[in-house]
């Protein structure tokens, strides 16, 4: 028993948090480039503050990130050394279509990813590609308002057509959109949306996500048509809500909060908006702009697998006025007194991981893929250059054990596991680099200073063993 023989162990990254080289290779500007470090980041990300141009008062960490653009060979060799079976990465849309609406793709961008995929195959690493991990061409945001516009489906489809044709035989695992539910919490990042004064924000987000869901279904159909080996996944930011107490109101609140997590993945995995979602939308005076053929398209093109991120569980309270809020991945949660938290205030809950995995499997009955999990922590380099990140090993060990229990004891069908930020990168939430997730340290500080040298942490050697023994040796 244990993990399948071909279990896909690996790590995950996203273009904007990793690559840098923002002005190289004819790449065009994207929303994520304009996400500054510091307190305004949250305002920009939530669409409350428009940041459509660079200014001198802010530092923009994605422009250089950790310079994978120039280090990819070295980095993939390190992934190979750890024995990765898969590497999850995302495509920067504006490397392929710099403005988003060009007739022809940018060959330099296509070549860049082709080289990466070939490099992966050198080490028998199967690429797992997120087509859209929080990026949207800035030109399309300025011109048509990003995913507010149905026209985006056309541009996204063209991107998918280009990728599926060009990388046929090189890539077979695809994820259409990263964390589809994140649009409700970080709409500028998830869909290029900044709000105008007094507009119905829910309506804007529902319109945008409907466009993404249609685009996702069209991409799924296309991927299957172009290559029957292609496997397509949806992706959600998971981490179940517990009721704060057994007070019925708290339990009901947890049900409602959990439904907000599942609402859009439901459409991708089951092929329709559930009644509760339609009611949720109606209650907020919004509606879905269904066009002819939309419902059939969604129904007929559900995903092959369900992928998700898990960092922590959450807590629902019917009374948040008590001020018992905790930090967690962008969206709010009450504090859980039974759990320890990371340095960034994210609750650490391996059993919550097992529960979340089980809930997802109960709900969808499709193969699952854990594509993000990990601990963001500060690391210290010792005098001899070593980095002893026992805290990270502890977190991962406990979470892999929980995942193993879900497979062995609960019978969940799990395809693989990619830890988040297998090499240090820019934090999506805060823009920092000192919030490190990697097995590989990158010598760069929050303001971009450093040699960008790569250093193996203790967790590097530990994870290599885990993979070597297919999760037996934790
Ligand atoms: C997920 C995202 O929400 O969480 C990643 O898909 C992100 O892009 C990760 O980096 C961890 O969050 P943070 O804020 O610690 O970077």
């Amino acid at each position: 028993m244990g993990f399948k023989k071909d279990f896909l162990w690996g790590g995950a990254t996203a273009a904007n948090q990793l690559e840098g080289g923002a002005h190289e290779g004819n790449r065009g500007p994207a929303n994520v480039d304009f996400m500054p470090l510091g307190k305004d980041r949250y305002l920009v990300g939530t669409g409350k503050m428009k940041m459509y141009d660079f200014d001198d008062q802010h530092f923009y960490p994605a422009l250089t990130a950790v310079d994978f653009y120039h280090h990819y060979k070295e980095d993939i060799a390190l992934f190979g050394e750890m024995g990765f079976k898969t590497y999850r990465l995302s495509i920067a849309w504006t490397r392929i279509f710099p403005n988003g609406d060009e007739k022809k793709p940018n060959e330099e961008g296509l070549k860049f990813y082709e080289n990466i995929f070939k490099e992966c195959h050198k080490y028998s690493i199967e690429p797992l590609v997120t087509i859209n991990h929080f990026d949207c061409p800035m030109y399309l945001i300025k011109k048509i308002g990003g995913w507010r516009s149905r026209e985006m489906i056309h541009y996204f489809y063209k991107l998918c057509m280009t990728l599926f044709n060009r990388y046929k035989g090189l890539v077979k695992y695809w994820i259409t959109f990263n964390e589809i539910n994140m649009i409700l919490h970080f709409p500028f990042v998830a869909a290029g949306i900044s709000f105008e004064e007094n507009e119905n924000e829910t309506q804007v987000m529902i319109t945008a996500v409907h466009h993404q869901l249609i685009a996702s279904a069209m991409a799924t159909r296309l991927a299957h048509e172009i290559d029957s080996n292609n496997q397509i996944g949806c992706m959600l930011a998971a981490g179940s809500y517990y009721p704060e107490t057994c007070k019925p109101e708290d339990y009901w609140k947890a049900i409602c909060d959990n439904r907000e997590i599942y609402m859009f993945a439901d459409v991708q995995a089951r092929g329709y908006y559930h009644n509760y979602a339609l009611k949720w939308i109606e209650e907020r005076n919004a509606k879905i702009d269904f066009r002819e053929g939309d419902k059939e398209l969604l129904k007929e093109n559900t995903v092959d697998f369900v992928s998700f991120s898990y960092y922590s569980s959450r807590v629902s309270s019917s009374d948040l006025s008590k001020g018992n809020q905790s930090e967690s991945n962008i969206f709010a949660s009450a504090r859980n007194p039974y759990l320890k938290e990371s340095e960034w205030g994210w609750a650490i809950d391996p059993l919550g991981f097992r529960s979340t995995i089980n809930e997802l499997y109960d709900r969808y009955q499709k193969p699952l893929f854990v594509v993000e999990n990990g601990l963001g922590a500060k690391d210290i380099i010792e005098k001899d250059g070593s980095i002893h990140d026992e805290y990270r090993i502890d977190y991962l060990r406990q979470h892999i054990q929980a995942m193993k229990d879900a497979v062995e004891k609960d019978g969940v069908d799990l395809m693989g596991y990619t830890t988040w930020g297998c090499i240090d990168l820019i934090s999506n939430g805060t823009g920092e680099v000192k919030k490190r997730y990697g097995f590989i340290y990158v010598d760069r500080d929050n303001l971009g200073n450093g040699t960008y040298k790569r250093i193996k942490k203790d967790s590097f050697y530990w994870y290599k063993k885990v993979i070597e023994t297919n999760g037996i040796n934790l």
Side-chain angles (χ1 to χ4, degrees):
M1 271 281 278
F3 297 108
K4 305 178 185 178
K5 262 211 336 264
D6 55 356
F7 190 76
L8 292 163
W9 294 98
T13 60
N16 78 86
Q17 296 169 256
L18 179 79
E19 287 178 8
H23 306 304
E24 293 183 61
N26 295 322
R27 179 186 178 284
N31 55 342
V32 278
D33 299 344
F34 296 86
M35 289 291 290
L37 180 71
K39 63 173 175 35
D40 289 339
R41 187 177 182 87
Y42 187 71
L43 291 175
V44 177
T46 49
K48 305 286 185 205
M49 175 180 173
K50 268 192 190 154
M51 178 76 77
Y52 285 7
D53 291 297
F54 299 117
D55 66 30
D56 296 341
Q57 275 86 61
H58 293 93
F59 175 74
Y60 302 92
L63 300 181
T64 46
V66 293
D67 200 27
F68 178 78
Y69 191 71
H70 297 108
H71 289 77
Y72 73 89
K73 285 195 178 160
E74 177 189 350
D75 295 345
I76 294 170
L78 289 167
F79 302 157
E81 193 182 327
M82 272 187 280
F84 278 20
K85 311 285 180 213
T86 189
Y87 167 44
R88 175 181 177 228
L89 72 157
S90 79
I91 303 280
W93 189 337
T94 56
R95 284 204 189 283
I96 312 297
F97 290 100
N99 282 336
D101 70 346
E102 288 85 351
K103 291 215 157 46
K104 287 210 169 100
N106 169 34
E107 178 54 31
E108 241 183 298
L110 285 172
K111 192 80 196 137
F112 173 62
Y113 293 108
E114 185 181 318
N115 290 342
I116 289 177
F117 300 145
K118 287 190 170 153
E119 208 61 27
C120 285
H121 284 292
K122 252 200 215 167
Y123 301 95
S124 303
I125 297 173
E126 196 61 57
L128 164 61
V129 176
T130 316
I131 301 169
N132 198 260
H133 192 129
F134 297 157
D135 70 341
C136 185
M138 205 57 207
Y139 175 81
L140 293 180
I141 293 178
K142 290 182 179 167
K143 193 170 165 220
I144 57 173
W147 284 95
R148 285 170 185 264
S149 166
R150 194 162 170 120
E151 243 184 275
M152 286 295 286
I153 299 174
H154 164 74
Y155 300 125
F156 182 78
Y157 189 71
K158 205 158 163 210
L159 171 70
C160 293
M161 172 96 71
T162 308
L163 301 178
F164 297 153
N165 280 320
R166 175 71 175 242
Y167 303 129
K168 187 171 171 175
L170 280 175
V171 179
K172 68 172 182 223
Y173 296 109
W174 304 89
I175 292 169
T176 52
F177 289 89
N178 184 59
E179 299 190 330
I180 192 81
N181 50 323
M182 201 47 98
I183 193 167
L184 297 177
H185 312 284
F186 231 30
F188 181 67
V189 168
I193 287 169
S194 313
F195 296 109
E196 304 302 332
E197 229 172 286
N198 297 325
E199 65 180 341
N200 179 343
E201 296 184 359
T202 308
Q203 178 64 70
V204 175
M205 293 187 288
I206 289 303
T207 301
V209 81
H210 182 63
H211 296 153
Q212 292 187 335
L213 293 170
I214 295 293
S216 177
M218 285 173 67
T220 304
R221 184 177 62 193
L222 183 68
H224 291 147
E225 277 165 10
I226 291 181
D227 186 349
S228 56
N229 284 321
N230 276 331
Q231 289 196 45
I232 312 293
C234 60
M235 200 290 197
L236 67 148
S240 302
Y241 281 94
Y242 304 129
E244 188 181 36
T245 69
C246 52
K247 196 165 101 186
E249 284 78 5
D250 284 344
Y251 181 57
W252 178 245
K253 181 75 171 55
I255 290 181
C256 297
D257 288 342
N258 280 320
R259 283 176 159 180
E260 284 186 19
I261 290 184
Y262 295 131
M263 199 155 49
F264 309 126
D266 277 358
V267 181
Q268 293 170 298
R270 305 202 281 207
Y272 57 93
Y273 289 88
H274 192 290
N275 287 347
Y276 77 80
L278 299 173
K279 291 288 174 196
W280 185 96
I281 293 165
E282 195 182 303
E283 268 166 29
R284 286 158 181 80
N285 295 319
K287 61 176 195 306
I288 305 168
D289 180 15
F290 282 113
R291 302 284 171 91
E292 207 190 320
D294 280 4
K295 288 187 181 164
E296 294 72 20
L297 179 87
L298 295 174
K299 184 98 218 143
E300 286 157 18
N301 298 285
T302 55
V303 290
D304 301 309
F305 64 90
V306 172
S307 72
F308 61 99
S309 59
Y310 175 89
Y311 294 91
S312 49
S313 54
R314 300 180 165 89
V315 177
S316 289
S317 169
S318 53
D319 180 13
L320 275 177
S321 63
K322 286 185 281 189
N324 53 349
Q325 287 278 95
S326 139
E327 297 298 320
S328 85
N329 192 3
I330 313 281
F331 42 113
S333 164
R335 179 154 268 123
N336 190 329
Y338 302 102
L339 300 175
K340 291 209 177 95
E341 293 178 349
S342 77
E343 290 168 275
W344 271 263
W346 294 20
I348 299 176
D349 184 7
L351 185 53
F353 188 28
R354 180 174 171 188
S355 311
T356 298
I357 295 173
N358 273 279
E359 281 172 25
L360 283 164
Y361 195 58
D362 287 352
R363 193 175 187 101
Y364 298 126
Q365 292 283 293
K366 295 209 179 210
L368 300 183
F369 205 146
V370 179
V371 294
E372 287 186 33
N373 174 239
L375 178 75
K378 291 178 200 146
D379 290 325
I380 296 166
I381 310 186
E382 305 295 333
K383 284 209 181 76
D384 64 358
S386 56
I387 298 165
H388 304 306
D389 56 341
E390 201 47 48
Y391 35 91
R392 185 168 295 107
I393 295 175
D394 271 355
Y395 177 101
L396 293 172
R397 180 186 289 125
Q398 291 179 50
H399 282 75
I400 295 175
Q401 182 58 54
M403 182 169 77
K404 206 179 194 179
D405 290 343
V407 170
E408 272 182 5
K409 300 184 181 161
D410 312 326
V412 170
D413 180 3
L414 204 61
M415 295 166 67
Y417 175 75
T418 59
T419 64
W420 177 247
C422 44
I423 176 164
D424 292 346
L425 38 61
I426 310 286
S427 156
N428 172 52
T430 71
E432 296 163 289
V433 169
K434 73 168 187 219
K435 187 181 186 188
R436 297 173 184 275
Y437 286 89
F439 303 115
I440 302 162
Y441 184 92
V442 178
D443 176 34
R444 177 214 193 267
D445 69 13
N446 282 349
L447 291 171
N449 307 306
T451 60
Y452 290 70
K453 187 175 154 207
R454 277 55 176 155
I455 304 167
K456 298 173 198 170
K457 306 180 192 176
D458 285 358
S459 56
F460 181 100
Y461 304 99
W462 171 81
Y463 196 47
K464 185 173 167 18
K465 272 260 154 52
V466 172
I467 299 178
E468 238 164 51
T469 61
N470 202 22
I472 290 173
N473 197 336
L474 294 178

